[in-house]
Amino acid sequence: MDTYYHPPDLAKFAEVGKDAPELWEKFLGWYNAVFAEGALTEREKALIALAVSHAVQCPYCIDAYTSGSLEKGATPDQMTEAVHVAAAIRGGASLVHAVQMRNKIEKIGM
Amino acid sequence: MALPTLINTRSPLAAPAAQRARLEALPLARTFESALGEAGRQPLTRVAARVLQVNLGKRCNQACHHCHVDAGPDRTEVMPDDVVEATLAVLAQSDIPTLDITGGAPELHPRFRDIVARARGMGRHVMDRCNLTITTLPNYADLPEFLAAHGVEVVASLPSYAASQTDRQRGDGVFDASLRALRHFNALGYGRPGTGLVLNLVTNPVGAFLPANQAALERDWTRELKRRYDVSFNHLFTITNMPISRYLEWLEQSGNVTVYMEKLVQAFNPATVEGLMCRDTISVAWDGRLFDCDFNQMLDLPVDARGPRTITDLLTTPALLSHPVTTGPHCFGCTAGAGSSCGGSTVG
């Protein structure tokens, strides 16, 4: 292995449960319930997951929810817009801290 | 611009035997027959035929990336008159309620309108598997009017309501031409409530993944086609791409063949077996040979040798096909997830 991230490792996710099976089962039950159709459709949830995957920059999640979004019927333009939402929030989160900067300028400036 | 067919590019995969060999050589976790056995459904038995599906030939005005027929403008296989007559005679003497006409683009067959009119004259339900763009060719511009006059159900191919996705799979400009055709059908009453004119759409994934839930997708498509293009339709059928012909070639060239087949095998759903189309369909090839489905037809996997082998045999055989269905690794395509058939998913 020449990298921490290795694509075949995604298929080994369930092995994480070996040393704490009860916690794994609780996680899996909750996870599956989260993604079941409810007030939001499975497609909408997959697109949210895809956007969050990019925000947290998880290669495994991007791999899984690119396939997952397509398999729930999302189109590439919808998926790209979802990633832009994540990117806009990340960008906005940086930019809104400029208020803190401006407050500081006000305080210490003449 | 039309894409070259496997046969035209002299691809080794143009030969059905080569395709079967590639599929058999894949290191899959289990065979389709063992999966059926574990589900208690081996051998796969037939029920009374409900659909006579006739493939009129491999000629098509398009050449889609995923085509399991390897159809295209350069194909010359067309059902001859004697096979057409035998097919209509079998339909007349049987109680099979539905004639499902496919191709290629079946409308390119010189006897297409005659076949439709005679089958409707027998009181049978007729389905035309239409690529939509055929209606934009000058000699076929009145096809929607003909189909409407004869009350034919139109089953039209449209992989995505996103233009880029449809063109990626079916060729540049296909989405816009399809949209013009859909509006033409809508103007005649197809896909509109209360007209009795049925316009169903067929979508298959643009890539190496399984189709979405059919009911959820139908809701999205109904909303989006109306909102974006003011187009309406009756039902959406999701169909899994079959690892045959040009789609198999694409799977191999893109490095997806093993992963895709493993996905199909892992998604085997025993509940889909009951509704498999091969159990109640008789598939007739352009040359009159009989198959259990259009996919077996393209892989040259004929019906069980103990029964009738050609449409002409069926004229003299009192009982229709009663022997087990011929199966292979490609059959995992129809049993994955919610199942797949020419009428879309087969379970919930």
Side-chain angles (χ1 to χ4, degrees):
Chain A
M1 183 198 295
D2 57 1
T3 170
Y4 284 111
Y5 288 122
H6 192 48
D9 284 351
L10 179 57
K12 300 178 186 171
F13 189 19
E15 292 177 15
V16 174
K18 280 185 177 173
D19 295 316
E22 289 182 11
L23 292 176
W24 174 256
E25 287 303 320
K26 285 179 178 176
F27 165 75
L28 208 58
W30 172 68
Y31 190 92
N32 289 334
V34 163
F35 282 96
E37 181 144 327
L40 294 174
T41 66
E42 290 183 333
R43 183 177 63 90
E44 289 165 338
K45 290 181 177 183
L47 285 169
I48 293 169
L50 181 69
V52 174
S53 300
H54 283 76
V56 299
Q57 294 179 304
C58 166
Y60 299 122
C61 313
I62 293 170
D63 185 333
Y65 283 98
T66 297
S67 300
S69 295
L70 289 169
E71 292 189 343
K72 298 302 178 191
T75 57
D77 55 344
Q78 292 166 342
M79 293 160 66
T80 305
E81 286 187 16
V83 174
H84 272 287
V85 171
I89 292 296
R90 281 184 69 107
S94 293
L95 205 55
V96 74
H97 285 79
V99 175
Q100 187 180 353
M101 171 192 75
R102 293 179 61 81
N103 289 343
K104 184 72 175 180
I105 291 171
E106 284 292 319
K107 184 174 182 182
I108 65 175
M110 289 184 71
Chain B
M1 188 181 71
L3 299 167
T5 54
L6 295 178
I7 206 154
N8 191 43
T9 58
R10 302 182 192 283
S11 165
L13 286 177
Q19 296 179 43
R20 295 198 305 270
R22 299 283 179 91
L23 292 171
E24 294 288 352
L26 291 172
L28 302 179
R30 55 180 172 169
T31 65
F32 185 72
E33 293 70 28
S34 66
L36 280 181
E38 288 169 30
R41 299 302 297 258
Q42 172 70 358
L44 188 56
T45 55
R46 283 184 154 273
V47 296
R50 285 194 281 265
V51 178
L52 185 63
Q53 188 177 63
V54 188
N55 192 311
L56 294 184
K58 302 190 180 190
R59 288 177 63 207
C60 189
N61 57 311
Q62 293 184 187
C64 306
H65 277 297
H66 70 296
C67 184
H68 72 276
V69 179
D70 196 27
D74 55 329
R75 299 304 298 261
T76 56
E77 298 90 336
V78 174
M79 184 175 278
D81 280 342
D82 61 325
V83 177
V84 169
E85 290 303 327
T87 302
L88 289 168
V90 166
L91 193 64
Q93 72 179 34
S94 74
D95 57 0
I96 300 173
T98 296
L99 178 67
D100 182 340
I101 307 176
T102 188
E107 304 89 348
L108 289 173
H109 193 286
R111 299 279 305 277
F112 173 79
R113 296 189 187 205
D114 178 36
I115 295 167
V116 168
R118 287 170 63 183
R120 290 295 291 141
M122 296 174 205
R124 307 306 163 89
H125 180 67
V126 175
M127 302 164 71
D128 174 29
R129 296 196 176 271
C130 180
N131 69 15
L132 291 174
T133 62
I134 189 78
T135 67
T136 64
L137 301 181
N139 290 342
Y140 299 89
D142 66 338
L143 180 71
E145 280 78 2
F146 169 81
L147 296 171
H150 289 81
V152 174
E153 175 185 340
V154 173
V155 184
S157 303
L158 191 71
S160 175
Y161 57 75
S164 60
Q165 290 293 92
T166 291
D167 286 359
R168 184 180 289 249
Q169 183 181 87
R170 300 177 76 79
D172 289 343
V174 166
F175 183 80
D176 286 343
S178 300
L179 209 53
R180 288 198 297 278
L182 288 170
R183 287 177 171 141
H184 189 167
F185 279 114
N186 278 174
L188 295 171
Y190 270 104
R192 304 285 193 199
T195 64
L197 293 174
V198 177
L199 171 62
N200 292 325
L201 300 182
V202 170
T203 177
N204 47 297
V206 186
F209 51 92
L210 294 176
N213 175 279
Q214 184 168 282
L217 212 55
E218 184 178 289
R219 288 195 294 274
D220 290 342
W221 278 56
T222 300
R223 183 186 65 246
E224 292 299 320
L225 279 176
K226 189 71 183 171
R227 181 176 73 87
R228 298 182 186 205
Y229 310 112
D230 194 28
V231 162
S232 55
F233 63 97
N234 293 94
H235 290 292
L236 180 71
F237 300 153
T238 56
I239 295 187
T240 302
N241 285 317
M242 299 299 286
I244 299 171
S245 280
R246 293 211 285 272
Y247 186 70
L248 176 59
E249 181 191 51
W250 176 80
L251 284 174
E252 289 194 341
Q253 290 179 346
S254 61
N256 282 304
V257 67
T258 302
V259 170
Y260 184 70
M261 288 303 294
E262 285 173 346
K263 188 185 283 271
L264 297 183
V265 172
Q266 286 170 3
F268 176 77
N269 179 0
T272 62
V273 177
E274 183 65 25
L276 285 174
M277 65 179 180
C278 53
R279 300 188 65 230
D280 66 4
T281 299
I282 297 173
S283 168
V284 187
W286 68 274
D287 59 3
R289 289 188 298 153
L290 299 179
F291 295 85
D292 292 306
C293 70
D294 206 55
F295 304 122
N296 279 4
Q297 196 181 121
M298 300 314 149
L299 287 172
D300 201 14
L301 287 170
V303 288
D304 192 294
R306 290 167 290 186
R309 308 295 299 274
T310 69
I311 192 72
T312 310
D313 293 343
L314 277 184
L315 282 171
T316 54
T317 308
L320 293 180
L321 303 180
S322 57
H323 295 297
V325 171
T326 305
T327 55
H330 62 292
C331 299
F332 279 114
C334 286
T335 54
S340 182
S341 74
C342 288
S345 64
T346 51
V347 294

